[in-house]
């Protein structure tokens, strides 16, 4: 086990099963509290089952020795769990890595002509609720800024090792939609990914959907990611954003805008 990427010093403890809240029979291996948490974010039990989302009782960090119930996001490679990320409902995060860094959802993009890249496991699940399964998430957070100068060699490109480790699954795609967060780090991540994946085959997705909010929407606040849009605008809102993807601006224009 190692530190959670983006959360230095956080380490997952043992994943030995322990006491949890009662599980709901016939649904994902998960307590009602977790199912309700996902439901509030418009993620269905069917999506949780397909992505093998579960719950474990474990120590989330050395600073907090008590065990907690945590959602488990498994990273699958050819159907086998290679890495895991953990999240408690109280927003503690940890990870367990048994393998090299890979995309979340890697198996879903094998032999796909079009690939969608998002920034977070919840956004990957949100895309599925809107009908898109050809989706992967980056395994950790976005950079603060776009680095200038030439790209490092793949063997030295540690922050983006998951791109090079999974290159065979990416190289055949004709179109890649960069659906990272609609904020400064998300834009920087999209630009860094485009530099590695090839700008000519990349499109940029904006999550600023101006259509009326879905009935019963939790919030009308500005949307910055796929889950925001799913909650506020429903599956159709997510679909509209994907359909309206546009070519990336010229890199010079991006750097000027970012400054």
């Amino acid at each position: 086990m190692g530190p959670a990427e983006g959360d230095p010093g956080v380490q997952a403890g043992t994943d030995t099963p322990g006491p949890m809240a009662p599980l709901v029979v016939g649904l994902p291996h998960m307590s009602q509290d977790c199912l309700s948490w996902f439901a509030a974010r418009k993620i269905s039990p069917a999506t949780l089952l397909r992505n093998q989302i579960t719950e474990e009782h474990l120590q989330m960090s050395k600073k907090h020795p008590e065990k907690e119930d945590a959602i488990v996001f498994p990273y699958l490679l050819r159907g086998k769990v290679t890495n895991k990320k953990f999240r408690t409902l109280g927003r503690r995060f940890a990870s367990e890595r048994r393998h090299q860094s890979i995309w979340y959802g890697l198996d879903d993009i094998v032999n796909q002509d079009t690939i969608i890249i998002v920034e977070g496991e919840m956004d990957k699940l949100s895309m599925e609720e809107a009908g898109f399964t050809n989706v992967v998430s980056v395994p950790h957070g976005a950079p603060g800024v776009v680095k200038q100068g030439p790209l490092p060699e793949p063997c030295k490109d540690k922050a983006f090792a998951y791109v090079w480790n999974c290159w065979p699954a990416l190289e055949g795609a004709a179109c890649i939609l960069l659906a990272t967060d609609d904020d400064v780090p998300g834009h920087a991540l999209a630009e860094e990914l485009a530099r590695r994946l090839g700008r000519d085959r990349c499109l940029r997705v904006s999550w600023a959907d101006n259509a009326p909010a879905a009935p019963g929407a939790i919030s009308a606040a500005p949307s910055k990611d796929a889950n925001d849009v799913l909650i506020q605008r429903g599956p159709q809102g997510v679909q509209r954003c994907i359909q309206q993807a546009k070519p990336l601006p010229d890199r010079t224009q991006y750097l000027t805008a970012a400054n």
Side-chain angles (χ1 to χ4, degrees), residues 20-211:
M20 287 198 307
L23 302 176
V24 179
V25 177
L27 292 174
H29 186 78
M30 190 173 289
S31 65
Q32 185 60 59
D33 284 347
C34 275
L35 286 172
S36 297
W37 185 87
F38 278 109
R41 289 153 182 81
K42 307 301 182 184
I43 306 301
S44 66
T47 293
L48 299 176
L49 281 168
R50 196 190 80 82
N51 290 275
Q52 301 183 36
I53 311 296
T54 59
E55 187 177 12
E56 293 181 6
H57 190 72
L58 69 158
Q59 180 183 336
M60 292 290 289
S61 77
K62 293 180 178 178
K63 292 182 179 179
H64 300 88
E66 70 280 4
K67 290 186 177 182
E68 303 175 77
D69 296 342
I71 299 165
V72 184
F73 297 94
Y75 280 58
L76 304 174
L77 177 62
R78 292 186 287 275
K80 295 184 178 181
V81 178
T82 61
N83 306 323
K84 294 180 180 181
K85 289 182 72 173
F86 306 91
R87 174 190 175 133
T88 68
L89 300 187
R91 291 188 60 82
R92 292 191 195 276
F93 300 90
S95 67
E96 174 187 288
R97 184 185 294 179
R98 311 171 186 174
H99 193 271
Q100 61 189 0
S101 182
I102 63 173
W103 302 89
Y104 178 67
L106 176 60
D107 285 354
D108 285 339
I109 64 166
V110 174
N111 298 324
Q112 293 288 338
D113 188 58
T114 299
I115 294 171
I116 304 172
I117 297 175
V118 296
E119 189 184 334
E121 294 86 1
M122 287 297 294
D123 292 326
K124 153 75 171 163
L125 302 181
S126 299
M127 294 296 295
E128 186 161 330
E129 293 295 335
F132 301 98
T133 56
N134 55 327
V135 183
V136 288
S137 169
V138 298
H140 50 76
V145 296
V146 177
K147 290 188 177 180
Q148 300 194 40
L151 289 176
E153 298 177 12
C155 62
K156 298 179 180 179
D157 196 14
K158 302 301 184 184
F160 292 88
Y162 55 92
V163 172
W164 309 114
N165 292 340
C166 305
W167 189 253
L170 301 165
E171 60 180 343
C175 180
I176 300 177
L177 280 69
L178 302 176
T180 52
D181 289 3
D182 235 337
D183 56 17
V184 172
H187 295 315
L189 175 58
E191 176 64 23
E192 290 287 12
L193 289 170
R195 295 176 70 194
R196 290 159 175 82
L197 298 170
R199 300 183 70 83
D200 57 336
R201 61 173 177 162
C202 290
L203 298 174
R204 183 70 172 111
V205 174
S206 170
W207 294 115
D209 179 26
N210 295 318

